[in-house]
Amino acid sequence: MPGDALGQDPAERRRRIDTTKAHPARVYDVFLGGKDNYPVDRDAAAAALAANPRGYLDVRHNRDFLRRAVSTLAAQEGIRQFLDIGTGLPTQENVHQIAQRIAADARVVYVDNDPVVLAHARALLTSGPEGRTDYIDADFKQPGQILEQAAKTLDFDEPVALVLVAILHFVEDEEAYPIVRRLVDVLPSGSRLVLTHLTEDLNPENIRAVQRTYTERGFTFVLRSRAEVERFFTECGLEMDEPGVVPAHHWRPDGAAPAPEAADPAHLAGLDDIEMVRYRDINDVTDADINVYAATGVKR
């Protein structure tokens, strides 16, 4: 069922869209081969790709971790509720599609503050008849508003998976840790935290070059160590699931990463590096390619 945010006047949505400044959700969309972005977002993605030519593997494996984590929680742990903050633009294999394929009655609430995401949010609300989906137009830094609105769809007396995938590296320490604690505090026993985060532990030269391209464009971009990522779990009293905090491609790999799209060679010959990303195979990943940690944990 649509949330109140979807009733916002289209003219007001357009007024909120700043096409002069790159937005993380839209840059992410570029790397996933989406079309809901602007030249400034493509410029940011191109600069990041120039700094780290195989950096698209971070984005794509981050997304594939999300598929595996949601599938695991729905199929093996019986989780039927998901709160996905920093959702990004609708693409294939959104949380509700993954979860409801396994459990038709799963409920999913999406949260994002980009008006472009809001404009396309109805694509996130195509729930099956037994489940429910909703969308909240809110910032991660508004946990009270998020929890109040999410309670209209989710039952906080039953376990919830809090999904914070590729969002926390855009938030400074003084806000990131307290907000995660506040969100986890309201979740009941049996709930899960699903998290990914960029790091300089693994391949520092590559990711620092990418970091410079983003900070030059005004993004907050915080690279955290394994210990600092683990802190999001330990400070909330969460018990880490196996295998702990690991590079995204090492978190319970199942060999099901999507194959590249088929395309005519003549078409591929005319594409630039950014346009080619959607056609690249991510199964050739090595440890030297990945700069993102992934983990899940449970609240006892």
Side-chain angles (χ1 to χ4, degrees):
M1 295 177 63
D4 293 341
L6 297 189
Q8 187 181 85
D9 181 72
E12 173 61 18
R13 280 203 303 266
R14 287 193 295 272
R15 187 192 64 77
R16 288 176 52 197
I17 297 172
D18 183 355
T19 61
T20 68
K21 183 179 180 181
H23 189 285
R26 302 194 306 259
V27 175
Y28 193 74
D29 181 64
V30 174
F31 279 113
L32 291 175
K35 300 185 183 302
D36 298 308
N37 49 72
Y38 296 93
V40 67
D41 305 305
R42 291 190 286 276
D43 288 347
L49 197 63
N52 181 16
R54 285 174 65 81
Y56 65 90
L57 289 165
D58 278 331
V59 177
R60 300 272 298 280
H61 276 280
N62 177 78
R63 191 76 188 182
D64 200 54
F65 159 76
L66 178 66
R67 174 188 62 81
R68 300 194 308 276
V70 172
S71 297
T72 297
L73 295 183
Q76 299 179 21
E77 305 298 338
I79 299 294
R80 296 294 179 264
Q81 302 188 107
F82 297 83
L83 177 57
D84 182 2
I85 303 178
T87 301
L89 286 148
T91 183
Q92 294 181 345
E93 293 293 87
N94 296 297
V95 171
H96 74 281
Q97 294 166 317
I98 302 165
Q100 290 180 358
R101 190 161 55 235
I102 295 166
D105 61 341
R107 297 184 175 198
V108 179
V109 172
Y110 295 105
V111 183
D112 209 292
N113 71 328
D114 181 3
V116 175
V117 180
L118 173 60
H120 293 275
R122 290 193 185 279
L124 294 170
L125 300 175
T126 54
S127 175
E130 297 175 54
R132 287 187 65 185
T133 60
D134 204 350
Y135 180 88
I136 300 171
D137 179 28
D139 191 280
F140 171 75
K141 297 176 183 179
Q142 301 169 309
Q145 178 184 346
I146 290 171
L147 293 168
E148 179 183 357
Q149 294 294 318
K152 297 177 181 179
T153 300
L154 305 179
D155 179 358
F156 283 105
D157 290 328
E158 296 294 330
V160 175
L162 172 62
V163 180
L164 300 177
V165 167
I167 182 174
L168 291 170
H169 42 253
F170 297 114
V171 187
E172 298 285 3
D173 286 358
E174 61 267 21
E175 292 182 297
Y177 290 104
I179 291 172
V180 173
R181 282 198 303 273
R182 182 171 180 189
L183 292 167
V184 171
D185 279 349
V186 306
L187 303 181
S189 176
S191 293
R192 285 307 211 284
L193 174 60
V194 178
L195 182 152
T196 64
H197 201 297
L198 287 171
T199 181
E200 61 181 350
D201 285 358
L202 306 173
N203 300 290
E205 184 175 345
N206 288 347
I207 196 62
R208 286 171 188 160
V210 172
Q211 182 185 40
R212 286 193 296 272
T213 71
Y214 283 110
T215 55
E216 287 168 359
R217 287 163 173 78
F219 289 2
T220 297
F221 205 84
V222 183
L223 301 173
R224 293 188 171 96
S225 67
R226 183 193 299 268
E228 289 168 328
V229 173
E230 289 178 344
R231 182 181 159 196
F232 285 111
F233 294 86
T234 58
E235 283 199 357
C236 296
L238 300 175
E239 179 182 312
M240 300 288 300
D241 295 321
E242 290 294 334
V245 175
V246 295
H249 63 306
H250 287 311
W251 194 93
R252 305 188 190 184
D254 61 8
E261 294 184 42
D264 183 270
H267 171 69
L268 296 178
L271 301 182
D272 63 22
D273 288 344
I274 282 293
E275 293 166 329
M276 275 294 297
V277 164
R278 67 187 297 173
Y279 299 104
R280 297 196 186 281
D281 188 355
I282 68 170
N283 292 291
D284 65 346
V285 65
T286 71
D287 289 351
D289 295 319
I290 295 299
N291 302 281
V292 58
Y293 279 136
T296 68
V298 61
K299 185 174 183 178
R300 295 299 186 188

